[in-house]
Amino acid sequence: MSGPLSSLWQASAAEVFAAPALQGERSVDLAIVGGGYTGLSAALEGAGQGADVTLLEAETVGHGGSGRNVGLVNAGLWLPPDEVCKTLGQAAGERLNSVLAGAPDVVFDLIARHAIACEPVRNGTLHLAHAPKGVAQLRERLAQMQARGAPVRLLDHTEIAARTGTDRFHGGLHDPRAGTIQPLAYARGLARAAARQGARLHEQSPVTAATRHGGQWVIHTPGGKLRAKHLLMATNAYHCPAPPVRLPEMPVVQFYQLATEPLGDNLARDILAGGEGCWDTGLVMTSLRRDAVGRIILGGMGGEASAHADWAERKLVQLFPRLRGTGINHAWAGRIAMTGDHLPRIQRIGQGGLAVYGYSGRGIAPGTVFGRAAARALLNGQEDDLPVRVVEAHREPFAGLRTLYYETGARMVHLIAARG
């Protein structure tokens, strides 16, 4: 692969959305900062309740992690459900586990209800064992998920080879509740649906300040000003300062993806023929899926450095030797905000203000349900139904060093693999 390539999602999104920058002054019930899944879901919910909602996006809808996502609509988190309970306590942990178990239903219901053209495929996802020890990890996760009624099943090496088209994995956990989407098209579809409900969205409208004055929020952009009863910050890994509101510095992981040219049945008929999306148990995680026209999409932790590109192309051929020489038409990367315990946060940023962040790589389904819940809590004044309790403050120690650690580790693993 030579030279910079573009995002597949930008090139293939069937949904189109554009909105003007904010100009002038306006008073609203709910102001939302951030045009990703959390903010867009909140805008759709708030407008659906009849509230006057305005959303501000510094770039374009889906510009951040939402439009650079792998596109796996999973139930739950990377963290196994027992670990969620150990961290949050039994009652709070089981509440979050239950909310996120049903989150794919929420996503696919929104897609159907608003006719969002985002290539939805709900044939489940596969959590793949990258090594024999990965099978043991999956067995533990299987037991925890089945104890909570999840319809998951552990597949052996032969079954996984048949589903994926490669014999490089040692087994896998199939979750039929999950699926795949075109992630940028989903974001744009949520934006379109929110606008139809009456929400006003503005792109190219970075927030330069957000203050409390006279019992309301005053939010400034280069071209305008909002006065809002309530404020939701939904910027996650792409947060920009909006003084005096302060959010914690988060450790960030880059995630790199490449996509092949569309492949015919002679090359790719048996590669993920069922349309499942995949990720593996490796410490430096790898993802794998295909899109509606048969492109194979491979991803891995690490940014846009050449080491990651070399690794990705080599990894693709290791998995599917017949794809040697296949054209790579797209490559892109995005940022993931990682909390130390891999749990998302809802933080109070002042009276009538909340911020949501830290999905740790699980943005689609959690972002959708957290955004909806945050809008309800702000507008109704009831926080009891939020997926997690609101924290007054949060700190991630050594965030910059941990970001460097993650990137250096991924680069070393990929350099070794690329030279192997």
Side-chain angles (χ1 to χ4, degrees), residues 373-399:
R376 290 174 178 172
L378 286 167
L379 293 170
N380 301 334
Q382 298 292 325
E383 296 180 355
D384 292 345
D385 291 334
L386 287 169
V388 295
R389 68 177 182 85
V390 176
V391 297
E392 301 300 324
H394 180 69
R395 182 172 176 267
E396 289 288 334
F398 310 110

Tab-separated table of all heavy atoms in Angstrom, residues 373-399:
chain	number	residue	atom	x	y	z
A	373	ALA	N	-30.529	8.023	27.575
A	373	ALA	CA	-30.777	8.114	29.011
A	373	ALA	C	-30.356	9.467	29.577
A	373	ALA	O	-31.028	10.021	30.458
A	373	ALA	CB	-30.038	6.989	29.734
A	374	ALA	N	-29.245	10.016	29.077
A	374	ALA	CA	-28.774	11.317	29.568
A	374	ALA	C	-29.767	12.420	29.213
A	374	ALA	O	-30.034	13.320	30.026
A	374	ALA	CB	-27.398	11.625	28.993
A	375	ALA	N	-30.322	12.380	28.003
A	375	ALA	CA	-31.318	13.377	27.616
A	375	ALA	C	-32.546	13.301	28.515
A	375	ALA	O	-33.071	14.329	28.975
A	375	ALA	CB	-31.718	13.183	26.153
A	376	ARG	N	-33.007	12.105	28.790
A	376	ARG	CA	-34.169	11.946	29.666
A	376	ARG	C	-33.874	12.490	31.061
A	376	ARG	O	-34.701	13.200	31.656
A	376	ARG	CB	-34.547	10.469	29.764
A	376	ARG	CG	-35.145	9.884	28.498
A	376	ARG	CD	-35.350	8.388	28.653
A	376	ARG	NE	-35.965	7.795	27.472
A	376	ARG	CZ	-36.106	6.485	27.281
A	376	ARG	NH1	-35.677	5.640	28.205
A	376	ARG	NH2	-36.674	6.018	26.181
A	377	ALA	N	-32.690	12.148	31.592
A	377	ALA	CA	-32.345	12.580	32.952
A	377	ALA	C	-32.274	14.095	33.051
A	377	ALA	O	-32.756	14.693	34.018
A	377	ALA	CB	-31.017	11.945	33.370
A	378	LEU	N	-31.679	14.739	32.064
A	378	LEU	CA	-31.551	16.193	32.096
A	378	LEU	C	-32.906	16.876	31.963
A	378	LEU	O	-33.216	17.832	32.692
A	378	LEU	CB	-30.616	16.658	30.982
A	378	LEU	CG	-29.127	16.384	31.229
A	378	LEU	CD1	-28.326	16.599	29.945
A	378	LEU	CD2	-28.578	17.273	32.337
A	379	LEU	N	-33.720	16.400	31.052
A	379	LEU	CA	-35.000	17.063	30.806
A	379	LEU	C	-36.029	16.776	31.894
A	379	LEU	O	-36.864	17.630	32.198
A	379	LEU	CB	-35.547	16.638	29.442
A	379	LEU	CG	-34.740	17.127	28.232
A	379	LEU	CD1	-35.228	16.451	26.963
A	379	LEU	CD2	-34.829	18.650	28.096
A	380	ASN	N	-35.965	15.572	32.484
A	380	ASN	CA	-36.958	15.186	33.477
A	380	ASN	C	-36.477	15.385	34.911
A	380	ASN	O	-37.270	15.259	35.859
A	380	ASN	CB	-37.361	13.718	33.288
A	380	ASN	CG	-37.934	13.457	31.905
A	380	ASN	OD1	-38.464	14.369	31.276
A	380	ASN	ND2	-37.816	12.232	31.426
A	381	GLY	N	-35.185	15.667	35.068
A	381	GLY	CA	-34.640	15.877	36.403
A	381	GLY	C	-34.546	14.620	37.241
A	381	GLY	O	-34.414	14.687	38.469
A	382	GLN	N	-34.586	13.447	36.604
A	382	GLN	CA	-34.517	12.176	37.320
A	382	GLN	C	-33.291	11.387	36.853
A	382	GLN	O	-33.208	11.007	35.683
A	382	GLN	CB	-35.786	11.348	37.068
A	382	GLN	CG	-37.070	11.997	37.546
A	382	GLN	CD	-37.136	12.082	39.063
A	382	GLN	OE1	-36.657	11.195	39.774
A	382	GLN	NE2	-37.731	13.153	39.555
A	383	GLU	N	-32.353	11.161	37.771
A	383	GLU	CA	-31.118	10.454	37.409
A	383	GLU	C	-31.136	8.974	37.788
A	383	GLU	O	-30.184	8.252	37.497
A	383	GLU	CB	-29.929	11.141	38.074
A	383	GLU	CG	-29.711	12.569	37.581
A	383	GLU	CD	-28.527	13.256	38.242
A	383	GLU	OE1	-27.928	12.652	39.172
A	383	GLU	OE2	-28.191	14.387	37.833
A	384	ASP	N	-32.202	8.512	38.421
A	384	ASP	CA	-32.233	7.128	38.902
A	384	ASP	C	-32.186	6.112	37.768
A	384	ASP	O	-31.747	4.970	37.979
A	384	ASP	CB	-33.502	6.887	39.732
A	384	ASP	CG	-33.493	7.655	41.043
A	384	ASP	OD1	-32.408	8.128	41.432
A	384	ASP	OD2	-34.567	7.783	41.665
A	385	ASP	N	-32.646	6.490	36.578
A	385	ASP	CA	-32.700	5.535	35.469
A	385	ASP	C	-31.460	5.571	34.572
A	385	ASP	O	-31.431	4.903	33.539
A	385	ASP	CB	-33.946	5.795	34.617
A	385	ASP	CG	-35.229	5.438	35.352
A	385	ASP	OD1	-35.172	4.582	36.256
A	385	ASP	OD2	-36.286	6.011	35.034
A	386	LEU	N	-30.455	6.344	34.939
A	386	LEU	CA	-29.217	6.349	34.158
A	386	LEU	C	-28.521	4.994	34.265
A	386	LEU	O	-28.623	4.320	35.296
A	386	LEU	CB	-28.282	7.449	34.653
A	386	LEU	CG	-28.688	8.886	34.296
A	386	LEU	CD1	-27.848	9.888	35.066
A	386	LEU	CD2	-28.559	9.110	32.791
A	387	PRO	N	-27.801	4.571	33.220
A	387	PRO	CA	-27.135	3.260	33.264
A	387	PRO	C	-26.093	3.134	34.370
A	387	PRO	O	-25.858	2.042	34.890
A	387	PRO	CB	-26.487	3.147	31.881
A	387	PRO	CG	-27.251	4.084	31.011
A	387	PRO	CD	-27.672	5.210	31.903
A	388	VAL	N	-25.410	4.242	34.692
A	388	VAL	CA	-24.465	4.277	35.801
A	388	VAL	C	-24.736	5.546	36.611
A	388	VAL	O	-25.306	6.507	36.094
A	388	VAL	CB	-22.989	4.265	35.317
A	388	VAL	CG1	-22.651	2.966	34.607
A	388	VAL	CG2	-22.703	5.459	34.407
A	389	ARG	N	-24.320	5.544	37.853
A	389	ARG	CA	-24.565	6.728	38.688
A	389	ARG	C	-23.669	7.877	38.220
A	389	ARG	O	-22.578	7.676	37.695
A	389	ARG	CB	-24.311	6.417	40.160
A	389	ARG	CG	-22.865	6.161	40.516
A	389	ARG	CD	-22.698	5.933	42.011
A	389	ARG	NE	-21.292	5.722	42.355
A	389	ARG	CZ	-20.431	6.695	42.587
A	389	ARG	NH1	-20.822	7.958	42.501
A	389	ARG	NH2	-19.171	6.421	42.898
A	390	VAL	N	-24.139	9.071	38.445
A	390	VAL	CA	-23.378	10.266	38.088
A	390	VAL	C	-22.239	10.453	39.086
A	390	VAL	O	-22.434	10.327	40.302
A	390	VAL	CB	-24.291	11.503	38.088
A	390	VAL	CG1	-23.499	12.770	37.804
A	390	VAL	CG2	-25.409	11.335	37.069
A	391	VAL	N	-21.037	10.759	38.573
A	391	VAL	CA	-19.908	11.090	39.441
A	391	VAL	C	-19.695	12.597	39.389
A	391	VAL	O	-19.954	13.245	38.372
A	391	VAL	CB	-18.627	10.339	39.016
A	391	VAL	CG1	-18.817	8.836	39.151
A	391	VAL	CG2	-18.212	10.694	37.593
A	392	GLU	N	-19.244	13.140	40.496
A	392	GLU	CA	-19.014	14.578	40.562
A	392	GLU	C	-17.690	14.972	39.939
A	392	GLU	O	-17.508	16.119	39.500
A	392	GLU	CB	-19.071	15.049	42.018
A	392	GLU	CG	-20.397	14.749	42.713
A	392	GLU	CD	-21.584	15.409	42.027
A	392	GLU	OE1	-21.422	16.549	41.530
A	392	GLU	OE2	-22.663	14.780	41.977
A	393	ALA	N	-16.745	14.029	39.913
A	393	ALA	CA	-15.435	14.278	39.312
A	393	ALA	C	-14.823	12.928	38.955
A	393	ALA	O	-15.228	11.888	39.486
A	393	ALA	CB	-14.523	15.036	40.272
A	394	HIS	N	-13.868	12.954	38.045
A	394	HIS	CA	-13.169	11.729	37.664
A	394	HIS	C	-11.747	12.089	37.257
A	394	HIS	O	-11.511	13.160	36.684
A	394	HIS	CB	-13.881	11.016	36.514
A	394	HIS	CG	-13.205	9.748	36.093
A	394	HIS	ND1	-13.184	8.624	36.891
A	394	HIS	CD2	-12.508	9.429	34.967
A	394	HIS	CE1	-12.510	7.665	36.268
A	394	HIS	NE2	-12.093	8.134	35.113
A	395	ARG	N	-10.832	11.201	37.544
A	395	ARG	CA	-9.437	11.432	37.200
A	395	ARG	C	-8.837	10.152	36.660
A	395	ARG	O	-9.076	9.066	37.196
A	395	ARG	CB	-8.654	11.911	38.419
A	395	ARG	CG	-7.185	12.229	38.139
A	395	ARG	CD	-6.529	12.877	39.343
A	395	ARG	NE	-5.107	13.091	39.109
A	395	ARG	CZ	-4.154	12.237	39.460
A	395	ARG	NH1	-4.491	11.099	40.072
A	395	ARG	NH2	-2.892	12.487	39.207
A	396	GLU	N	-8.065	10.265	35.605
A	396	GLU	CA	-7.323	9.151	35.035
A	396	GLU	C	-5.830	9.430	35.237
A	396	GLU	O	-5.239	10.226	34.497
A	396	GLU	CB	-7.637	8.983	33.547
A	396	GLU	CG	-9.025	8.459	33.258
A	396	GLU	CD	-9.180	6.988	33.620
A	396	GLU	OE1	-8.165	6.262	33.616
A	396	GLU	OE2	-10.314	6.579	33.929
A	397	PRO	N	-5.210	8.811	36.246
A	397	PRO	CA	-3.795	9.093	36.512
A	397	PRO	C	-2.907	8.732	35.328
A	397	PRO	O	-3.143	7.732	34.636
A	397	PRO	CB	-3.484	8.205	37.728
A	397	PRO	CG	-4.816	7.894	38.340
A	397	PRO	CD	-5.783	7.861	37.200
A	398	PHE	N	-1.904	9.557	35.096
A	398	PHE	CA	-0.875	9.302	34.083
A	398	PHE	C	-1.482	9.040	32.703
A	398	PHE	O	-1.056	8.153	31.972
A	398	PHE	CB	0.017	8.123	34.494
A	398	PHE	CG	0.561	8.228	35.886
A	398	PHE	CD1	0.106	7.383	36.892
A	398	PHE	CD2	1.502	9.193	36.204
A	398	PHE	CE1	0.592	7.483	38.184
A	398	PHE	CE2	2.006	9.308	37.497
A	398	PHE	CZ	1.553	8.446	38.493
A	399	ALA	N	-2.497	9.821	32.355
A	399	ALA	CA	-3.206	9.589	31.094
A	399	ALA	C	-2.263	9.673	29.899
A	399	ALA	O	-2.314	8.834	28.988
A	399	ALA	CB	-4.349	10.591	30.945
